[in-house]
Amino acid sequence: MAIALQVKKLTEQLEEYNYQYYVLDEPSISDAQYDAVFQQLKAIESEHPHLLHENSPTQKVGGQALSKFEQVAHEMPMLSLDNMFNDEALQAFIQRASDKSIKEVAFCIEPKLDGLAVSIIYEHGLLVQAATRGDGHTGENVTANVKTISNIPLRLRGDNIPQRLEVRGEVFMPQLGFDKLNARLEALGEKSFVNPRNAAAGSLRQLDSKIAASRPLAFYCYAVGVFDGDLENSQYARMQQLKGWGLPVSSEISRVQGLDACLAYYRNIVTQRESLGYAIDGVVYKVDDIDLQDKLGFVARAPRWASAYKFAAEEAITRVENVEFQVGRTGAITPVAKLRPVFVGGVTVSNATLHNQDEIARLGILIGDDVVVRRAGDVIPQVARVLLENRDLSQTQEIHFPSVCPVCSSALERIVGEATIRCTGGLYCAAQRKEAIKHFASRKALDIDGLGNKLVALLVDHDLIKDPAQLFDLTLAQISTLPRMGSVSAKKVLNSLQVSKKTTLSRFLYALGIREVGEATANNLAMHYKNLSALQDAGIEALKEVADVGDIVAKNIYYFFRQPSNLQVVNRLLEAGVHWPDIQAVESTTQTLVGQTFVITGSFANISRSDIKSELQALGAKVSGSVSKKTNTLIAGTAAGSKLEKAQALDINIMDEQQLFTLLNKQ
Ligand code: IVH
């Protein structure tokens, strides 16, 4: 008993020190003193393993490596932000967000951290799950790695903590840590990272949490996702609340009113940018009042109540040494300026796209010219302008667009009204073949693990495959004889190919690489037509009824399915066993909970809340966040709180975990 109490005391002591150090930035003890307490707790825990709690402050070192990350569905989608690039856009945003009933709307202003978005869920104050943003709807479960990040508390402190609280924020790598990490990697002869953002992303996606633990990552909260209970009704006040519970929040956040104050914040942070110690790429303006946020709502993937004012792109001067022509997946020929390497916007740039012939003419650019290159965030580097005053005609040379495809020598075509020149070779062209297969295997398409760019290039160059369908004819012997491919990796690839056959209609449609059919359009098409043959038979006018499909996309889809070589690939894929659940059949035979509303509360021993939610939704149920008269059933786990009381008061059907399993199995 005395020992248990001591563990509790030491734990609380360390948690308090962490809070002072990471959140308040006011340490009260020295590192050595901290270390002494830490070692004391560790010693007791190793002597009494039953007293070791998984959220103990000593557990920030990582554990067993994973073989892959599990997928996590976000209960509330993780959105992105609209961008603004000048003061006028900020003014327009403030006007749009202003409500006539309020004299002057207040904004919470925050630095736009340049890392990656993460969602962290605390239940009963304990960190239970962390996930990446992914596509906004589903991300990857990176709990083991996030738990190793020093300034993220494993347990929240203070009072009135919501039973369940999802905080969202940015994982990033401070500049000092980044420099040290790169020095360390270089000393070991390993590849260093080009910028802190990539380093943060690479570290967070380590399957081995011990490696993640060795990386100097940090986190700042900027939003609340789902939560039980009451929170402040203002963004700024919520951030203070999170801080009070021990969560790290940027000290740069501020609440202001009026355009002038909004602009002043921006101008001020621009001057401080270099001394912050971490990379930011702009400033985020958020309507402070949460009710007003709700009233403003969302458009597509971004809120109307928030917007990011991005910093001007960085520029640098360098020389064009050559121009090469690349052939893309759809045959588009893109001129690429080969530059004398120059450091700009956080990376060394040696290529910049020149887009097309019109852009070359607009820039008036020659090989040998000095140019201004510009790079912002993750955007492809651009040539902003030519420094004509530096031009030396004896050293420059005109850029000649090729007359045939530089890869396969097929004829080129330029469609009237389009700026792009394309190779007409289709899958005959090795470049298009490689790109089409890479796209087919990519994460958002069939997600074929282990089939990376290098292997695709080898397979095509060795003439083993000509189209995506032939991937499924590959044999172990064929793959393992390729350079640098042992039989172990070859077996892995074959296994991934097998696994990838089970997919969804929307991934399949996306994988086909129909021009201008991205992930979202593929999803809309799948939802609308529910099966492939209905979509294949659809006419242009019918296709235009699908959300987001305009005239051009409709024609692209229509003609894709009228091209015999495409139909052949589609049929061979189906023959190879590529399949997906039939959306129509799934809906009509198993949608037994249509019209019913469920609310989920508490924690569950054998299933996560997000799994319960998706299982219920798959049966057609609506899952809502709060109990009301419209609720049909409350699924209550252990430690259910106010929702359970409310459901009881309203005489709503209540199910426990056991009953839920009976319901799910029975259905
Ligand atoms: S709020 C609904 N606040 O920017 C609004 N995002 O472009 C959701 N980011 O995915 C985002 N700092 O990764 C917000 N203070 C901040 C941010 C921030 C960085 C990132 C975040 C998000 C992306 C959107």
Side-chain angles (χ1 to χ4, degrees):
M1 183 55 206
I3 299 259
L5 206 65
Q6 205 180 350
V7 167
K8 187 166 175 268
K9 255 186 65 193
L10 293 170
T11 301
E12 283 169 1
Q13 224 175 323
L14 288 172
E15 284 173 347
E16 186 58 26
Y17 295 148
N18 284 338
Y19 172 68
Q20 291 169 351
Y21 184 86
Y22 290 115
V23 180
L24 302 181
D25 200 12
E26 284 165 3
S28 63
I29 53 163
S30 71
D31 288 2
Q33 284 167 311
Y34 179 91
D35 213 46
V37 182
F38 187 91
Q39 293 307 335
Q40 207 183 338
L41 178 59
K42 243 184 114 172
I44 302 182
E45 285 173 342
S46 69
E47 226 175 284
H48 307 275
H50 68 283
L51 293 177
L52 170 63
H53 190 277
E54 60 173 323
N55 285 38
S56 160
T58 60
Q59 298 305 293
K60 284 205 155 274
V61 288
Q64 287 220 316
L66 306 172
S67 57
K68 69 177 191 68
F69 294 116
E70 299 294 330
Q71 301 270 52
V72 177
H74 298 300
E75 284 176 51
M76 235 171 80
M78 291 183 78
L79 300 159
S80 48
L81 291 168
D82 278 339
N83 291 328
M84 310 180 280
F85 295 98
N86 52 46
D87 294 358
E88 288 70 41
L90 175 62
Q91 183 169 19
F93 165 71
I94 292 175
Q95 254 152 25
R96 279 197 308 277
S98 292
D99 190 293
K100 286 186 203 73
S101 65
I102 303 165
K103 230 173 78 211
E104 203 158 46
V105 173
F107 290 91
C108 182
I109 318 184
E110 309 163 7
K112 189 170 190 302
L113 304 155
D114 199 10
L116 55 157
V118 163
S119 139
I120 306 179
I121 297 179
Y122 288 88
E123 281 179 4
H124 310 295
L126 294 180
L127 191 163
V128 294
Q129 188 189 75
T132 61
R133 176 175 182 271
D135 63 3
H137 297 282
T138 354
E140 287 178 323
N141 187 333
V142 288
T143 313
N145 290 344
V146 164
K147 279 179 129 180
T148 69
I149 299 178
S150 342
N151 74 343
I152 297 183
L154 300 178
R155 187 165 77 156
L156 301 180
R157 63 195 296 287
D159 305 319
N160 299 325
I161 303 169
Q163 284 198 16
R164 194 151 184 277
L165 173 70
E166 178 191 11
V167 294
R168 293 175 172 183
E170 200 86 343
V171 166
F172 60 96
M173 193 175 285
Q175 187 66 42
L176 209 64
F178 170 75
D179 294 337
K180 281 191 190 159
L181 171 65
N182 265 355
R184 197 169 85 210
L185 291 173
E186 274 156 29
L188 290 169
E190 287 175 38
K191 221 174 140 202
S192 53
F193 289 100
V194 288
N195 57 35
R197 211 198 87 84
N198 287 8
S203 303
L204 197 66
R205 296 203 70 254
Q206 286 288 336
L207 289 167
D208 186 346
S209 51
K210 288 213 169 65
I211 300 184
S214 75
R215 301 284 172 82
L217 294 173
F219 176 77
Y220 276 144
C221 299
Y222 56 63
V224 173
V226 289
F227 63 97
D228 270 341
D230 293 325
L231 285 184
E232 292 283 357
N233 227 15
S234 118
Q235 164 72 9
Y236 185 80
R238 277 189 181 180
M239 293 304 110
Q240 303 313 312
Q241 242 180 336
L242 295 184
K243 225 171 136 172
W245 289 324
L247 288 156
V249 174
S250 161
S251 53
E252 306 302 323
I253 93 169
S254 168
R255 177 162 51 188
V256 310
Q257 282 176 316
L259 176 65
D260 290 344
C262 284
L263 282 171
Y265 180 100
Y266 182 87
R267 308 240 191 285
N268 179 48
I269 206 130
V270 167
T271 65
Q272 289 187 41
R273 188 176 176 188
E274 299 305 321
S275 56
L276 286 175
Y278 49 85
I280 67 172
D281 58 350
V283 167
V284 185
Y285 293 83
K286 298 176 181 174
V287 167
D288 188 54
D289 185 280
I290 306 282
D291 290 334
L292 184 51
Q293 287 186 0
D294 291 344
K295 220 158 121 186
L296 288 162
F298 301 87
V299 260
R301 295 168 74 101
R304 278 204 198 86
W305 47 264
S307 193
Y309 190 167
K310 298 292 277 286
F311 293 142
E314 270 186 50
E315 294 185 341
I317 293 171
T318 188
R319 181 158 294 175
V320 178
E321 295 185 323
N322 196 7
V323 171
E324 285 178 6
F325 295 87
Q326 287 178 356
V327 187
R329 176 167 62 81
T330 58
I333 312 276
T334 307
V336 177
K338 298 285 165 182
L339 307 170
R340 180 182 295 161
V342 60
F343 195 75
V344 52
V347 299
T348 302
V349 168
S350 47
N351 295 316
T353 177
L354 295 174
H355 299 288
N356 51 50
Q357 219 167 4
D358 296 355
E359 176 72 358
I360 290 177
R362 190 188 70 79
L363 289 166
I365 187 172
L366 302 178
I367 295 170
D369 269 340
D370 282 349
V371 292
V372 175
V373 287
R374 177 183 290 167
R375 183 182 177 276
D378 273 347
V379 190
I380 306 171
Q382 316 270 335
V383 172
R385 60 183 187 281
V386 174
L387 295 177
L388 286 177
E389 60 275 27
N390 289 9
R391 182 176 282 173
D392 173 354
L393 275 178
S394 70
Q395 299 297 315
T396 53
Q397 203 182 316
E398 249 184 80
I399 298 167
H400 293 291
F401 225 86
S403 52
V404 295
C405 173
V407 173
C408 73
S409 303
S410 294
L412 301 182
E413 65 172 359
R414 178 170 180 165
I415 293 169
V416 187
E418 266 192 43
T420 313
I421 293 179
R422 285 176 208 279
C423 160
T424 56
L427 289 181
Y428 168 76
C429 174
Q432 291 185 59
R433 221 182 291 155
K434 283 178 194 168
E435 294 304 318
I437 295 165
K438 278 196 261 185
H439 174 79
F440 183 82
S442 64
R443 265 215 293 164
K444 292 175 184 168
L446 255 67
D447 193 15
I448 307 174
D449 240 15
L451 192 71
N453 295 355
K454 282 191 189 131
L455 182 54
V456 171
L458 281 174
L459 289 168
V460 171
D461 291 340
H462 283 73
D463 250 343
L464 292 176
I465 47 174
K466 295 202 159 53
D467 63 46
Q470 289 181 345
L471 279 170
F472 296 103
D473 300 333
L474 287 170
T475 64
L476 187 61
Q478 285 177 319
I479 307 179
S480 47
T481 48
L482 291 171
R484 267 170 286 132
M485 278 299 282
S487 74
V488 176
S489 355
K491 272 187 198 144
K492 270 202 191 139
V493 174
L494 281 180
N495 185 44
S496 307
L497 278 163
Q498 208 54 35
V499 172
S500 75
K501 287 182 184 172
K502 185 176 166 210
T503 185
T504 63
L505 177 56
S506 90
R507 278 176 176 270
F508 181 79
L509 293 175
Y510 174 72
L512 291 177
I514 304 168
R515 206 177 290 169
E516 281 171 66
V517 174
E519 221 188 331
T521 308
N523 198 31
N524 292 341
L525 290 167
M527 287 306 160
H528 188 97
Y529 287 102
K530 300 192 166 49
N531 66 64
L532 180 62
S533 53
L535 167 63
Q536 280 184 317
D537 293 344
I540 294 172
E541 287 311 309
L543 283 163
K544 279 158 71 174
E545 280 166 28
V546 179
D548 281 349
V549 176
D551 193 48
I552 294 174
V553 180
K555 282 183 181 148
N556 288 345
I557 300 166
Y558 180 84
Y559 289 114
F560 180 92
F561 287 116
R562 264 115 207 116
Q563 168 80 247
S565 59
N566 290 336
L567 290 177
Q568 222 195 35
V569 170
V570 169
N571 288 333
R572 290 203 337 268
L573 285 168
L574 300 180
E575 280 162 24
V578 175
H579 68 285
W580 51 85
D582 183 341
I583 301 173
Q584 211 155 30
V586 172
E587 282 185 1
S588 61
T589 59
T590 62
Q591 296 258 307
T592 44
L593 297 180
V594 170
Q596 296 214 37
T597 302
F598 285 73
V599 173
I600 311 167
T601 188
S603 9
F604 299 85
N606 301 304
I607 187 167
S608 72
R609 295 161 58 119
S610 57
D611 283 350
I612 300 178
K613 184 174 176 190
S614 46
E615 295 232 5
L616 290 173
Q617 284 174 334
L619 300 173
K622 226 184 104 183
V623 178
S624 149
S626 57
V627 174
S628 74
K629 272 183 268 171
K630 289 190 203 139
T631 310
N632 298 93
T633 306
L634 176 78
I635 310 283
T638 50
S642 59
K643 287 184 188 167
L644 180 59
E645 282 166 30
K646 190 159 178 199
Q648 283 162 338
L650 292 171
D651 206 15
I652 284 162
N653 182 31
I654 296 165
M655 275 189 189
D656 64 13
E657 186 166 351
Q658 198 56 51
Q659 290 166 316
L660 168 73
F661 273 103
T662 318
L663 172 83
L664 294 177
N665 288 338
K666 205 165 66 197
Q667 300 293 346

